[in-house]
Amino acid sequence: MNFETIIGLEVHAQLLTKSKMFCRCSADYASAPPNTRVCPVCLGMPGVLPVINQKAVEYAIMTALALNCTISDYTKFDRKNYPYPDLMKGYQISQYDAPIGHHGWLIIEVNGEKKKVDITRVHLEEDVAKLVHCAPPGGESYSLVDVNRAGVPLMEIVGEPGLRSPEEARQYLIKLRSILQYLGVSTGNMEEGSFRCDANISIRPENSPDSLAKVEVKNMNSFKAVYLAMEYEAKRQRKVVAEGKRLVQETRGWVEEKGETVSQRSKEYAHDYRYFPEPDLPPLVLNREWVEEIGAKLPELPEARRHRFVAEYKLPLYDANLLTSSILTADYFEACMTRPPQSLSPKKHAKPVANWIIGEFSRLLNATNTEINESKVSPVALFDLVQLISEGSISGTSAKLVFEEMFKTGRSPGDIVSERGLSQISDTEEIEKDVIAVIKSNNQAVADYKAGKAPALKFLVGQVMRATKGRANPKVVNELLKQKLEEK
Ligand code: ZN
Ligand code: MN
């Protein structure tokens, strides 16, 4: 029997607000010593009252609008009850039946085909404390609690189970993250845990509406991990069925080192959480004018920027796609394009600049695990390098060397070229000496050329290039050689 894979993703994104979700503590929890960004509210003391962070609500509305959601007129907070050592109050303030936004969608592209993925909801909640597990050799193991993270605003984005493959899941995450980054509401950093993903995955016989048991997978800390975990799970579930066993509804954890998922517990249901309206917070009525104001101020999103790059810089769609998938790369590219002096058209060099960013630059960034905005190569320097190549001041081969040095040291291409004597010689008089010398000392090749053997010219060009240590402009060498050989 053929099965179809059904995947739905839930994303938790920490919001880039200054303070926490329900108190005035700083939300920048990671840079502070443990348990220093705390107060009675986020410590879960009895008798304290939470206050809603307006900026967090604004960020959630921005996100919901960017994801084409309907914004609720009336929304409220609810208590999600469960006992766990990282949950200070014994409940999490979340949103149950009246999320900020609902019924949205997002377009992904897989193998050149567009697909609309429905978004169930966007809601607000709070993060929990961080547990640090310690196991000293020979000693008893213990756990430490850092409450700095408790109460940091979290936005949960629940997608419909509309994804059909691990690759669609990955594309969905890439797209979602880039939207959050463009909006400036979250860093989207998966490794640091500010963008976390849980997946629901099941299989169902083709043409059947009913999935077999739904499995939730947790602990995936990168896009790659999500992809691999989905691939593993899709295979495992088919295998269980093929062996005539029963699939169970459960929560499984991805174990990176082993490359497999392992059973953690049987899945809990919503009623296990005993949700009820948060009595300490009033319902929230979202003013229509405020929502419209937020909508009008939304920044340019990846899709729009991509089309603008094609129209404004005449870039191929493929290049525009790569450049705009990360806001950092897109910003970098545009910073390069502010460099051309008035005399140059603003579009001049757009394509070669894009080529460098997509090619050599990306390669070195990946190899050194650096983000483009942290690189030592300034946009101005990259533009100047492209300009040097286009003027014929340096050859393509030299340019690669120069760029490597720029990447390492952050020095300007002009300085590197003059210091290392890499400038290309286009000056006819300078090259002429070498051309004459080469003709003199290669009688056989000259005779071959005269006899109409074309490869002889190539050989002579090579000799001149050698004599100039590769710095002569090959076009000029070619022309000069032909000219001198005719004269002879
Ligand atoms: Zn606090
Ligand atoms: Mn949640």
Side-chain angles (χ1 to χ4, degrees):
M1 202 189 301
N2 276 333
F3 289 94
E4 216 182 354
T5 305
I6 314 291
I7 301 172
L9 300 179
E10 265 178 40
V11 165
H12 284 88
Q14 282 176 342
L15 293 175
L16 281 170
T17 54
K18 289 204 174 71
S19 58
K20 291 188 181 178
M21 188 65 226
F22 300 114
C23 63
R24 299 174 68 172
C25 292
S26 167
D28 179 14
Y29 64 93
S31 65
N35 298 310
T36 55
R37 302 251 152 115
V38 294
C39 73
V41 174
C42 54
L43 277 166
M45 299 293 184
V48 296
L49 287 175
V51 176
I52 300 168
N53 182 331
Q54 182 178 346
K55 200 73 190 171
V57 177
E58 187 181 326
Y59 282 175
I61 293 172
M62 282 170 73
T63 308
L65 287 172
L67 295 174
N68 310 293
C69 288
T70 304
I71 307 296
S72 305
D73 289 316
Y74 167 95
T75 169
K76 68 181 178 60
F77 289 90
D78 302 275
R79 284 191 185 181
K80 183 180 182 179
N81 301 277
Y82 65 95
Y84 204 71
D86 65 7
L87 194 58
M88 304 318 291
K89 301 188 287 284
Y91 60 84
Q92 178 192 37
I93 303 180
S94 179
Q95 297 194 288
Y96 183 51
D97 52 0
I100 301 270
H102 54 91
H103 289 94
W105 45 267
L106 160 69
I107 304 280
I108 59 168
E109 220 176 294
V110 176
N111 300 329
E113 269 186 49
K114 288 192 172 160
K115 174 169 178 162
K116 186 174 163 193
V117 185
D118 290 327
I119 308 260
T120 319
R121 54 189 281 149
V122 174
H123 76 246
L124 277 172
E125 54 188 43
E126 54 181 336
D127 211 341
V128 296
K130 209 163 107 187
L131 295 180
V132 183
H133 304 288
C134 310
E140 234 176 290
S141 61
Y142 58 92
S143 297
L144 298 169
V145 186
D146 178 6
V147 186
N148 283 0
R149 198 179 68 181
V152 166
L154 268 191
M155 178 169 63
E156 183 171 329
I157 301 152
V158 183
E160 287 288 308
L163 303 163
R164 293 289 174 270
S165 69
E167 184 53 23
E168 287 188 8
R170 175 159 61 184
Q171 292 306 325
Y172 172 88
L173 287 179
I174 290 174
K175 194 61 182 282
L176 180 58
R177 185 176 72 163
S178 95
I179 289 172
L180 298 189
Q181 289 174 333
Y182 269 71
L183 292 171
V185 300
S186 175
T187 63
N189 191 315
M190 235 176 152
E191 283 76 15
E192 285 169 9
S194 41
F195 185 89
R196 303 168 213 155
C197 169
D198 298 330
N200 283 301
I201 175 165
S202 60
I203 56 170
R204 70 177 180 208
E206 247 169 39
N207 305 319
S208 152
D210 299 315
S211 274
L212 306 178
K214 227 184 253 172
V215 170
E216 187 175 10
V217 183
K218 292 179 175 286
N219 295 340
M220 299 166 292
N221 297 321
S222 65
F223 290 150
K224 194 177 160 205
V226 172
Y227 180 86
L228 293 175
M230 293 302 96
E231 209 173 43
Y232 176 86
E233 208 34 50
K235 274 194 200 133
R236 185 192 67 85
Q237 294 186 12
R238 283 175 174 79
K239 194 164 160 249
V240 169
V241 173
E243 286 167 354
K245 293 183 205 149
R246 204 174 67 89
L247 271 170
V248 283
Q249 173 157 330
E250 61 180 345
T251 299
R252 298 177 71 89
W254 171 246
V255 185
E256 184 87 38
E257 309 79 55
K258 290 189 188 161
E260 58 185 47
T261 65
V262 295
S263 180
Q264 290 183 325
R265 56 173 188 265
S266 64
K267 170 108 178 88
E268 49 291 89
Y269 296 84
H271 62 251
D272 295 332
Y273 292 120
R274 294 172 292 121
Y275 277 103
F276 62 85
E278 169 58 58
D280 289 339
L281 289 171
L284 202 57
V285 175
L286 301 176
N287 180 304
R288 279 299 102 182
E289 276 166 36
W290 187 46
V291 172
E292 273 166 32
E293 221 174 277
I294 294 170
K297 280 191 309 196
L298 280 189
E300 186 182 35
L301 291 169
E303 198 78 359
R305 200 168 193 187
R306 167 159 66 139
H307 291 303
R308 182 167 63 78
F309 274 21
V310 172
E312 192 173 331
Y313 301 109
K314 310 284 174 242
L315 290 175
L317 191 59
Y318 176 82
D319 296 34
N321 224 341
L322 287 173
L323 290 175
T324 55
S325 65
S326 144
I327 190 171
L328 296 177
T329 313
D331 284 348
Y332 190 97
F333 171 78
E334 291 218 277
C336 293
M337 299 322 294
T338 59
R339 173 65 168 167
Q342 297 262 298
S343 58
L344 277 184
S345 136
K347 276 157 223 134
K348 177 107 172 155
H349 301 338
K351 176 64 178 148
V353 166
N355 287 348
W356 276 93
I357 294 176
I358 294 165
E360 193 62 9
F361 203 173
S362 289
R363 189 181 68 76
L364 292 175
L365 288 170
N366 284 337
T368 51
N369 207 7
T370 318
E371 289 284 2
I372 196 162
N373 60 331
E374 293 161 355
S375 153
K376 287 180 181 163
V377 181
S378 71
V380 164
L382 180 61
F383 184 87
D384 289 349
L385 177 70
V386 167
Q387 175 75 5
L388 286 174
I389 304 164
S390 113
E391 297 167 347
S393 302
I394 52 172
S395 67
T397 330
S398 304
K400 241 181 124 176
L401 293 174
V402 172
F403 185 77
E404 268 170 31
E405 172 105 17
M406 287 163 66
F407 191 84
K408 262 188 234 149
T409 63
R411 297 175 61 208
S412 81
D415 286 355
I416 300 168
V417 167
S418 53
E419 184 191 281
R420 295 177 54 173
L422 289 168
S423 62
Q424 179 162 273
I425 312 166
S426 301
D427 177 17
T428 323
E429 272 175 43
E430 219 179 314
I431 300 173
E432 205 173 59
K433 295 186 307 244
D434 293 307
V435 167
I436 292 168
V438 164
I439 291 177
K440 257 191 189 154
S441 55
N442 289 283
N443 287 329
Q444 186 56 49
V446 172
D448 287 350
Y449 176 76
K450 297 256 173 198
K453 289 186 188 162
L457 182 67
K458 236 177 142 182
F459 170 79
L460 291 168
V461 171
Q463 294 305 304
V464 178
M465 293 308 286
R466 239 176 85 178
T468 59
K469 299 199 176 70
R471 289 171 53 226
N473 182 334
K475 224 175 115 199
V476 177
V477 173
N478 234 297
E479 279 162 17
L480 263 180
L481 260 172
K482 274 192 202 160
Q483 194 189 320
K484 293 282 161 203
L485 287 165
E486 293 311 316
E487 284 171 15
K488 247 186 106 135

